[in-house]
Amino acid sequence: MIPIGSTTTSSSDSAINQLNASSQASTEDRFLKMLVAQMQNQDPLNPLDNAEVTSQMAQINTVTGLDKLNTSMAGLSTQFVQLQAMQGASLVGHEVAVEGDTLRVREGIADAGFELASPADTVKLEITTGGGTVIDTIELKDQEAGRHTFDWEVPPEYADSDLHFKITATSGTTPVEAMTLRIDSIAAVSTFGNVLALELDNGDRVTYDAVWAFL
C-alpha cells in the first residue's frame, strides 16, 4: 500500500504552520513597534521622510509575501509528490533497468543489460563472483548503439552466489563507452523526502529519476 499521509503528519504540519504564522506575526509586530518608536523619537528639525516610511513598509510587505509564497510552493510540492506516488502504483510489477553490475538470478538463469554510446564490433562480458573472480566470458559481435539485454545460464555451483559482470566494448581498436545495467522488478512505490521512490524486489530503493529504462 502506498503511504499518502497520516494523522501524525497532518498534526505535525498544522503545528509547523502555526509556528510559521506566529513567527511571521512576531516579525510584523516588531517592525511596527520599531517604526512607531522611530517616529516618536525623531528629530523635529529633521522629521522622518515619508518616502523612507513607505519604503520600509514595502520591505516588510515583500518579506511577508515571499514567506507566504514559499509556504504555498512547499505545499504544492508535497501534493505533487503524493500524486506521483498514487499514479506510480501502476508501475508495481514492471521491470526496470538501473545503473549497476549485479546479475539477477531466477530459476537458474541470470540476466542483466548494458548501454552502448556508439556501435561496437566486439562486446566482451565477464561474469564474476562478488570477490571479482571471473567465472565465464561472453563475447558478442556487431552490437548497435543503445540498450541491450542478455541471459546467462548459472552453473549449479554458483546458484546461490552473488554474481556480477564487467563489460568491455570496442570498435576496431577504439574503446566504446558502455554502461552496465542491472534489471529488477518494482515491488512498491513510495515517497522518500520530496521525491518519488521505487522499491525493488531485491530490497533496494531508488529514486524515479535513477531508472534508466522501463522494460
Side-chain angles (χ1 to χ4, degrees):
M1 180 178 294
I2 300 168
I4 58 174
S6 65
T7 303
T8 301
T9 301
S10 298
S11 299
S12 175
D13 289 344
S14 177
I16 292 174
N17 290 336
Q18 291 178 3
L19 180 61
N20 289 337
S22 175
S23 176
Q24 178 181 318
S26 177
T27 299
E28 294 177 356
D29 183 60
R30 288 198 303 270
F31 171 78
L32 292 175
K33 286 181 179 179
M34 291 175 61
L35 182 58
V36 170
Q38 187 177 6
M39 295 179 69
Q40 289 177 338
N41 295 284
Q42 64 182 326
D43 183 356
L45 300 178
N46 185 27
L48 194 63
D49 184 58
N50 287 337
E52 184 177 351
V53 175
T54 301
S55 175
Q56 292 183 20
M57 291 295 292
Q59 289 177 22
I60 190 62
N61 285 335
T62 298
V63 172
T64 300
L66 289 175
D67 184 64
K68 290 180 179 178
L69 177 61
N70 289 337
T71 300
S72 298
M73 291 300 292
L76 287 174
S77 177
T78 299
Q79 292 178 16
F80 178 69
V81 172
Q82 291 178 347
L83 179 60
Q84 277 188 317
M86 294 177 65
Q87 294 176 332
S90 62
L91 298 176
V92 174
H94 285 256
E95 293 189 335
V96 293
V98 297
E99 186 173 0
D101 64 356
T102 304
L103 289 175
R104 178 181 62 172
V105 179
R106 297 183 301 177
E107 300 180 354
I109 301 298
D111 63 352
F114 58 92
E115 181 92 9
L116 297 178
S118 59
D121 297 334
T122 303
V123 174
K124 184 173 72 171
L125 303 171
E126 293 181 314
I127 310 300
T128 71
T129 62
T133 301
V134 178
I135 57 178
D136 198 4
T137 300
I138 303 171
E139 191 169 285
L140 305 173
K141 295 292 186 179
D142 300 325
Q143 299 295 300
E144 297 293 330
R147 187 177 66 254
H148 303 266
T149 59
F150 68 93
D151 296 333
W152 179 71
E153 187 173 350
V154 182
E157 61 269 30
Y158 295 108
D160 298 321
S161 300
D162 178 28
L163 300 174
H164 299 258
F165 72 105
K166 301 176 182 178
I167 181 171
T168 304
T170 56
S171 177
T173 58
T174 304
V176 173
E177 183 179 355
M179 176 189 295
T180 57
L181 299 172
R182 63 186 179 91
I183 298 173
D184 213 327
S185 297
I186 301 173
V189 180
S190 62
T191 55
F192 181 69
N194 287 324
V195 298
L196 180 65
L198 306 177
E199 298 177 19
L200 306 180
D201 278 345
N202 68 352
D204 288 350
R205 173 187 283 179
V206 299
T207 58
Y208 185 86
D209 58 6
V211 175
W212 194 255
F214 289 90
L215 305 177

